[in-house]
């Protein structure tokens, strides 16, 4: 586990170089890609080190863990983003803890978020829709063929949610071509939804430590990096 500032800084620099190479290989501007530091199962010092190294977005998978970290890190100027499966009974705490929720994958969850936001005048939350691009049954996310109906429902019924794009987890396989194809499918789905819904969906959160260069080649705007910044996680 890596929590010293120097290590995290060097790891981040290496990741930024890989992002630049991947973006360059397809003629993309690497400046379109932001790094989300995934700090689940890492201590608050890891988040602090990442912020010192220039990270501005922190992703956490569990509401309780993120709440505890935020309490210790109130001075940090970072955005906290929910990237784990969100249970409906945690929605209220999630909205107190996170600036954005990137794992909206059902109308029930979207409606719960909207209902809690409605209690506060003008409260809004940027969200991404999580799509199951791996085809693996154990993964969360709406199936691609239900993404458009869900998007329509969010737009028509959840006025306090700002739908900003899509979120996906690539398949856990070694076949690079298959992983890349799943990222390409998320980008195409985004393009289709933009046309069908008539809104701009600028964000594509895809790519983790093992596959982020492929995601960048396919249009990722947010790569979610845990292991390659902080080393292996505690307890796994
Ligand atoms: C844990 C996690 C990551 C980071 O994974 P690494 O392989 O450690 O980079 C990214 N996205 C999600 C949704 C995660 O749960």
């Amino acid at each position: 586990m890596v929590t010293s500032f120097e290590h995290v800084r060097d790891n981040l620099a290496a990741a930024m170089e890989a992002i630049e190479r991947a973006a360059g290989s397809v003629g993309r501007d690497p400046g379109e890609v932001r790094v989300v530091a995934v700090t689940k199962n890492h201590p608050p010092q890891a988040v602090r080190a990442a912020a010192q190294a220039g990270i501005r977005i922190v992703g956490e998978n569990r509401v309780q863990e993120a709440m505890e970290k935020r309490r210790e890190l109130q001075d940090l100027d970072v955005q906290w983003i929910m990237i784990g499966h969100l249970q409906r009974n945690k929605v209220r705490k999630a909205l107190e803890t996170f600036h954005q929720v990137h794992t909206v994958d059902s109308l029930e969850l979207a409606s719960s978020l909207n209902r809690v936001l409605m209690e506060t005048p003008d409260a809004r939350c940027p969200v991404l829709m999580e799509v199951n691009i791996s085809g693996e049954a154990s993964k969360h996310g709406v199936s691609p063929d239900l993404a458009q109906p869900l998007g329509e429902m969010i737009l028509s019924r959840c006025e306090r949610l700002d739908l900003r794009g899509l979120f996906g987890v690539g398949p856990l396989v070694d076949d690079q071509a298959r992983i890349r194809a799943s990222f390409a499918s998320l980008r195409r789905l985004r393009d289709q939804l933009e046309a069908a819904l008539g809104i701009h969906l600028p964000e594509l959160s895809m790519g983790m430590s093992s596959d982020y260069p492929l995601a960048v080649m396919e249009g990722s705007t947010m790569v979610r990096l845990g292991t390659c910044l902080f080393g292996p996680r505690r307890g796994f």
Side-chain angles (χ1 to χ4, degrees), residues 3 26 33 37 51 70 157 159 190 197 199 223:
T3 56
V26 295
V33 186
R70 277 205 72 172
R157 297 199 198 168
E159 60 187 64
R190 186 274 306 274
L197 303 176
I199 58 170
V223 292

Side-chain angles (χ1 to χ4, degrees), residues 38 40 61 83 167 169 208-209 224-227 233:
V38 178
K40 64 174 178 224
N61 294 56
I83 62 163
F167 173 106
V169 178
M208 317 190 350
S209 292
R224 306 181 303 265
L225 304 183
T227 310
R233 280 179 282 277

Side-chain angles (χ1 to χ4, degrees), residues 104-107 110 129 142 146-155:
V104 172
D105 63 355
S106 71
L107 181 59
M129 187 196 299
V142 66
L146 295 178
Q148 186 180 328
L150 178 56
E152 285 166 356
M153 292 290 199
I154 291 173
L155 291 188

Side-chain angles (χ1 to χ4, degrees), residues 116-153:
V116 173
L117 289 163
M118 295 278 279
E119 294 170 9
T120 310
D122 301 327
R124 309 189 61 79
C125 184
V127 299
L128 301 187
M129 187 196 299
E130 179 174 3
V131 181
N132 183 340
I133 51 171
S134 72
E136 289 163 18
S138 60
K139 294 266 170 63
H140 295 292
V142 66
S143 77
D145 50 321
L146 295 178
Q148 186 180 328
L150 178 56
E152 285 166 356
M153 292 290 199

Side-chain angles (χ1 to χ4, degrees), residues 209-230:
S209 292
S210 58
D211 56 20
Y212 68 96
L214 298 172
V216 168
M217 289 180 212
E218 292 299 342
S220 176
T221 62
M222 287 187 190
V223 292
R224 306 181 303 265
L225 304 183
T227 310
C228 77
L229 297 183
F230 306 111

